[in-house]
Amino acid sequence: MQIPSKILVYSIFIVLVSCRKYLDQKPDQSMTLINKVEDCQALLDNSYYVNNLDVAAGEASADDYFVTDDLWASFQLEDRNLYIWNPDNLFPSFGYNGNDWSHTYDNVNRANMVLEALNHIKITPTSASNWNDVRGQALVLRGRSFLQGLITWSLAYDKSTASSDLGIPLRLSSDFNEPTKRASVEDGYNQVIQDLRNAIDLLPVVPEHPFRASKPAACALLARTYLAMRLYDSCFKYADEALSLNHTLIDYNQLSTDPFSMELFNPEIVMADAMAYSDPVAPWYGKIDTILYASYDNKDLRKSVWFGDNGDGTFYFQNSYSQYSLFTGVANDEVYLMRAECYARMNNISKAMEDLNALMITRWKNDGSFLPFQASTAQEALSTILRERRKELVFRGLRWLDIKRLNKEGENITLQRVINGKLYTLPPNDLRYALAIPDEIIGLSGIPQNPR
Amino acid sequence: MPLLAVGQEHSLGRRTHPRLIRAIRTILLFGISLLLAWQLAAQEITLNLHNVPLERVLKEIQAQSPYRFVYTTEMMEKASPVTVSVNHAPVEATLAQSFKGQPLEYTIEDRMVVINYREIRKDSPVPATVKGKVTNANGDPLAGATVSVRGTSRAAITDDQGLFTLESVEKGAILVISSVGYETTEKKWLGQDLLLIVLNQKVASLQEVVVNTGYQDLPRERATGSFVKVDQATLNEQVGSNVLDRLDGVASGLLFNRSFQAAPGQKKLNLQIRGLSTINGPLDPLVILDNFPYEGDINNINPNDIESVTVLKDAAATSIWGTRAGNGVIVLTSKKAKINQPLSLVFSSNLSITDKPNLRKVQDMPAADYVEVEKFLFANQFRFSDTSSSVHPPFSPVYEVLFNEMNGTMSASQAQAMLDHLSKSDLREEFKRWMYRVTPTQRYGLTLRGSSDRSGWLVSTGLDRDLDNLDASFTRYNLRLENQIQPAKGLQIQTSALYTKSRNVTGRPGYGQVQGYRNGIPGYTQFADADGNPLPLIKNYRASFLDTLGAGRLLDWNYYPLTDWKFNRTTQRLEDVLLNLGVSYKFLRIFQAQVKYQYERQSIDGIADHTLESFFTRDMINTFSQIDYTSGKVVHPVPLGGIQDWNRSLLVSQALRAQLDFTRQWKSNNLNGIVGAEIRNAETQENYNRIYGFDPDNLTISYVDYTHTYPRMVNAGSSYIPTTLRESGFYNRNVSLFANASYSLHDRYILTASARRDGSNLFGVTTNNKWKPLWSTGLAWKVSKESFYHIKWLPTLALRATYGYSGNADPSQSAQTVISYSSVSLYTNSPIAVVRKYGNPGLRWEKVGQLNLGMDFSFLHQRVSGSLEWYRKRASDLLAEVPLDYTAGLNRTSITRNAGSLRTTGWDLQINTVNVDRELTWRTSLLLSLNKDRITNYYYKKSALAMVGGGVAGIVGHAAYGLYSYPWAGLDPANGDPQGYFESKISKDYVTILNNTKPEDMIYQGSVLPTVFGSLQNSVTWKGITLTALFSCRLNYWFRRNSIQYSNLFYNNMGNIDYEKRWQKPGDETNTSVQSMQYPVNANRDAFYANAAELARNASNIRLQFVSVSYDINPRYLEKWKVRDFQVYVNASNLGLLWTANPERIDPDNEYFPPARVFSIGLKLGL
């Protein structure tokens, strides 16, 4: 009687063969692994975290604004420190709301989770475009998060020292067990370039929503990256490509001068992101730098659209592209200015002024008073463009980057603040241009702090 | 563990009721469809022998069947040669042929064939000399056994050959044969020349115990691991409907957690085996019922159905259960149907009476003190601002009297009279009088067993009707059918079906469960007036406010504790079906193949019924009522009618196991083992719902609108109508491969090894890590069997050593990232997902490596036997909270991961003695366990404030669950303020002390779990009367006693007897350490005082767990009634503490008051 033993052998066999699938049942039905393209998209569509918590510390350290002594005194310690370029203690501890560091790496991790999940999701003919789109979005998210990190916590890119300058941790895996290490500035920028380049071919030209990345957005971010590295050929190439895909500008004559009246997701916006809330640069606290305000022509509509009167002779920024928060995404004005600057640096004066005027005509009162900007030398073109860039990209989270890179170009920008009668200065290329990493992170990970 | 005999159910003789057997068997065969078609085949013997000695035939039969023979050589010499020729014949037929014409006859008892000289029938009762031989079941002679003639004083002792001689014994006399370690047997002498007597070994002696691991039955002496077996008789010494509770005090190394609190979800059962193996993981041991993990409610199991319990303690014992066995394993084995066992019936019944609890032990302060305190508060205008509060919080009765007096609506003398009246009442008396009852609990059980040659069956039913002293009831019906058939040689089929139906209904609120406006109620609260009418308790709003509110259009808004429970009952109905099917087949003499399947379905239906009369429902309806004061119309968004909360859960689990057993014996080698595979699936579906406006008369339900908010009647603002609607589903799947083997040489050296690989659907674990190999190995050496062993006073000595791993799986952790969908984006109109668990690719099962060294011994002719074991558990990869650098992007600063480790060491000592073994026997068993756990690795530091809150403080070198206190510097002599230390200086800065004391400056008193525990059981038997008493001790652990906290007293009406001992004037600090009363109250001062070292107490205690007296009526008196066994007993349990270390004599395991005493009386009848 051999049947029972055969049954035994068969049942063991069946058990072994089928158990792999059998064990894939999820233990709690309300939860899921990231195993569909839709799951990845749903993670990236969590716009509160993905699109609204960009780094604010750079803007708070830059020179678009000032605050009064009383207001400064009312800030929390870390914000007060940021304002006077204190060497350390610039970020609040994690607490409940996190800080710029945690927001940055939360998005890096989100991107990593999606990228890892996508590797395990089969591409089918019907899902291919979605798969590519989502992968592209994740790469852009990671690339631009790293870029913000580099701008904030590392010194300006300098080809001669980049491979030894301290960059930021480049986390490329969602495994939290991996130790945190700082890469070099060179490696950091290379990673940003790699992520954004890889994204370009995957993304659609027109996204389903400006919160999501698109091909022109990836190109523009890449151009921004090369601009920060002062590699103007490459910057030009991608700014040009971005504009070839989307060059819509909005006419400021159509805009209201009421506070917070800017249309959300206006057509000039290529990708909509905003800065995390920060007291110093919040519209109701930070006052526009008086010299900057004075530099606008009265026919320049930006002056009336953007700046609201505080009633005490100071002005506040009242019409961000993100309404109540500060816009940090990609809009075509920035891309025009990048291409113009590159043309100027490449000695193509006419093309440079053409791009500048294409932008400026939309900012000027259409009463016939607009006189196209002109330049006779490349140097003149460049300085005109940089002046207009200063005035166009106010409170866009780009000024800190510009100060750092332009000082490397010899612009010699020295920042000054006065609090309680005391003068604080930040000389060009100071070590403090790399902000101090939160102490908690230094303590927990053992990575080196930026030198002081 | 006291190792007493298994209660034997006596036989009724197979020929007595053939019709009954047939009838029952017919019912069973029809009842279990699987057995319908079987045409039973015989136990087959094939022989063809000519003229051979009888002995040869017997040996052949023994080889072909499980039957064994007992005879003497002398008998075989007298037997005539045999010729036998049978083909596939039953054993009995073969025997009948072989014994034809022999001077011998045989009787078959449970596959043991005892051969005797054919009875010589003589009519006159002439006294003669009886010669006999006493052997054990293996036929080995037993020396030193006592053979006495019943009713006389004549007795003989057997010699080395087991032989005895007794002069002038009358034919028909009954001989009583006894020997230590064997069951006492009676035998009628019918005139045989040589009386052969086989004594069965008592399960009592350690060496002969058969333990069940859930995979195999293992003779205890061939095991190297640490097992504790608790037999049925021991289980029956304690009454109570939960089978695990009956292990308290009788299973070595088992600790019942009486007051220990763990994190939510960490434990369902309340016991631990050998202390902790995990810090944050699940704490429950794995419970096995009939070979498979039991997923249902432990209360479904009727203790009457359990034949034995085996506790697996060390790694060699538990590793076969793999990743779920890290906390030890408890194997429950049901009573089984057996082939070749006589028809028997056992009926048992008992009645328990639960006394009212002794509320005098409650550390509450007298009513007069409450009145005094409130007068003091009133004088200080405490809470006067609440009179103008928009939420109209209520005031206590004393306050209302004082307000009335102040407003002039009551005269001073009236007020004083009322306060005097309140001062005289006593809340504890109120509870005793109105809430607690002396209640009866009934249990009935009936077990019927029978068999034929090829099949056996068992039917058992049980009915339990428990009623606790608060009238909460538990009713359980059990029906169990078991069947075993042997359709062909070597093939066995076993089926069983267990059906359980139970119902739980809640009763009255007990002491501490009635809540007023805040948590407590004043000590002068009365539940009923002089005529017994219910009195309202101030609950949500002030009475004077309620009187004017709603112009009489609202429902009565008072709470009546005396009657409210009737309208607020929760009923839980449970039905459970457990089906087992097992097929085993023996082949090639060394193999046995088995397939086992189990199916369980448990459904629970719970309804919390809040009728319209209940305060809960009236409060809800009133809160949402909208009154139009001009028209007088009242709208009820929460409709008039009852509210019912429903919850349903359905558990379905299935398990299938295929297993191959092998046994091979050659020369003095013995090899056996098992290999197999198992697959299991348990699914749970749960749903919750609430219905409003329920009308029980016509079963109508009203709809409510959950989507809008409604303004609340009293406090401004609006709320949604609450709902409990929820659905969930859980799946638990496991696949395992396992093997174990044991090899013994010369019965002296035993080597065991086991290995297991587990796979589970533990969420998000990558396929590689889903499989976890665990192993163990063990060695045993029977030292006393060596030829060189000559220690006379210690005739039995065996040493054991095992090492191995078992595991712990925590389903709340995940190796892969788990997300859930939360909402839809306003902008992209697409779903948004959030991360629920960040995947940890490094997630591993918690691993418990255990080393166990054991020694088994017996001496003084087995009068003293026992074992001593030492173990060390190193639990590593324990899930622990670890600080996390948020560069990882997890938006958090700490995470749970495999980072902690814990070392637990301990001793288990077990000694059984037979102190007196004559007409009066006195047995003692002593269990003593030491268990010490120390955290060896933990990264997360808790703050001082969190440390005093309990749980795991995570201090390396201390017990996982330790008691920590703030250092105490005595009372301030000036004002009685409690004083502590901060940075080594005496301080009264309570906020700083509470929050900023460094963890290392906290005083560590010790473990909150007993580190020494044990029990002592004595039982004395005389003429069938047995008196048993069990004492248990729990030593060397700590608790924090409650004392007066004025914030609790002032705001929550929660006082403490310490109030009377408080510091009142300078100088008091010399004789009291109770903080003075301070107004206004400082909650931080209270919090410091409550957690100061002053209130920490050693919790050591000794208690008398139960006393029982039973009487087994001598079977002689029962013979004519055909009754073989009749026992009556009384039992008293929860008898209270004999000794406590704390001077206040607080029962540390029952903080408020000791559990009520329970008295039981019962009977057991065997036919």
Side-chain angles (χ1 to χ4, degrees), chain B residues 82 245 334 356 384 408 530 542 752 833 864 908 913 918 936 980 1008 1035 1140:
Chain B
V82 180
D245 286 350
S334 298
K356 295 183 181 188
F384 273 26
R542 207 174 164 188
T752 60
V864 180
D908 285 337
T913 60
R918 291 169 176 254
T936 47
V1008 298
L1035 308 172
T1140 45

Side-chain angles (χ1 to χ4, degrees), chain A residues 111-354:
Chain A
N112 284 332
M113 288 189 293
V114 169
L115 292 171
E116 285 164 11
L118 285 172
N119 287 338
H120 300 287
I121 298 171
K122 278 206 187 98
I123 309 171
T124 62
T126 49
S127 74
S129 66
N130 272 342
W131 193 96
N132 285 336
D133 184 4
V134 172
R135 184 171 161 80
Q137 290 175 46
L139 286 168
V140 168
L141 179 60
R142 188 168 74 182
R144 74 180 189 84
S145 298
F146 283 149
L147 179 60
Q148 288 184 46
L150 286 164
I151 292 168
T152 313
W153 291 288
S154 292
L155 293 172
Y157 181 85
D158 187 326
K159 207 173 179 177
S160 57
T161 57
S163 58
S164 58
D165 283 343
L166 283 171
I168 57 163
L170 297 177
R171 296 195 73 99
L172 302 177
S173 143
S174 68
D175 182 358
F176 59 74
N177 296 298
E178 280 188 12
T180 300
K181 283 186 207 125
R182 291 187 76 166
S184 67
V185 168
E186 183 74 50
D187 289 346
Y189 277 95
N190 284 341
Q191 183 63 46
V192 174
I193 290 164
Q194 190 189 322
D195 283 346
L196 295 174
R197 264 198 188 151
N198 288 342
I200 291 173
D201 292 336
L202 300 170
L203 288 165
V205 173
V206 181
E208 277 192 31
H209 189 276
F211 271 151
R212 295 186 186 168
S214 57
K215 194 179 288 236
C219 290
L221 285 167
L222 199 49
R224 189 191 283 176
T225 309
Y226 283 117
L227 189 74
M229 297 170 80
R230 295 181 287 125
L231 299 174
Y232 301 106
D233 294 0
S234 301
C235 175
F236 168 78
K237 181 183 166 205
Y238 288 103
D240 189 50
E241 188 176 344
L243 288 174
S244 74
L245 298 167
N246 179 352
H247 52 262
T248 311
L249 292 170
I250 52 170
D251 182 359
Y252 271 43
N253 288 287
Q254 310 297 320
L255 298 180
S256 158
T257 55
D258 295 341
F260 309 111
S261 61
M262 187 71 77
E263 181 196 352
L264 269 182
F265 314 116
N266 75 54
E268 195 173 300
I269 291 172
V270 180
M271 186 175 165
D273 295 308
M275 196 182 286
Y277 175 82
S278 159
D279 272 345
V281 289
W284 33 91
Y285 292 142
K287 300 168 195 302
I288 304 301
D289 184 79
T290 45
I291 299 164
L292 175 63
Y293 180 77
S295 70
Y296 293 87
D297 191 289
N298 281 337
K299 298 269 185 186
D300 188 339
L301 291 168
R302 294 178 293 193
K303 195 170 185 176
S304 52
V305 169
W306 284 354
F307 303 126
D309 193 341
N310 279 324
D312 56 359
T314 64
F315 295 86
Y316 71 101
F317 189 61
Q318 65 169 11
N319 268 320
S320 158
Y321 279 10
S322 293
Q323 280 190 350
Y324 295 96
S325 29
L326 299 179
F327 182 79
T328 51
V330 176
N332 279 329
D333 55 349
E334 181 199 355
V335 192
Y336 269 100
L337 286 165
M338 283 195 289
R339 191 169 71 177
E341 183 180 337
C342 293
Y343 273 131
R345 291 188 188 275
M346 290 150 67
N347 279 322
N348 193 337
I349 302 166
S350 64
K351 279 284 188 187
M353 299 321 280
E354 197 180 299

Side-chain angles (χ1 to χ4, degrees), chain A residues 22 27 39 45 177 180 440, chain B residues 680 731 819 821 830 840 885-886:
Chain A
Y22 177 79
D39 296 334
D45 277 345
N177 296 298
T180 300
E440 278 173 329
Chain B
R680 292 168 26 72
Y731 294 81
I819 58 170
Y821 282 85
S830 57
N840 177 3
D885 149 27
Y886 47 86

Side-chain angles (χ1 to χ4, degrees), chain B residues 864-920:
Chain B
V864 180
S865 63
S867 71
L868 176 66
E869 296 191 334
W870 176 85
Y871 59 89
R872 189 192 64 206
K873 290 199 279 188
R874 282 183 199 271
S876 54
D877 287 345
L878 296 184
L879 292 167
E881 205 164 345
V882 177
L884 180 75
D885 149 27
Y886 47 86
T887 311
L890 270 53
N891 260 331
R892 59 177 68 186
T893 52
S894 71
I895 188 122
T896 302
R897 70 184 195 200
N898 302 93
S901 54
L902 183 75
R903 193 183 64 199
T904 306
T905 50
W907 294 87
D908 285 337
L909 172 70
Q910 174 171 343
I911 295 180
N912 301 298
T913 60
V914 182
N915 308 325
V916 177
D917 189 24
R918 291 169 176 254
E919 210 167 352
L920 179 142

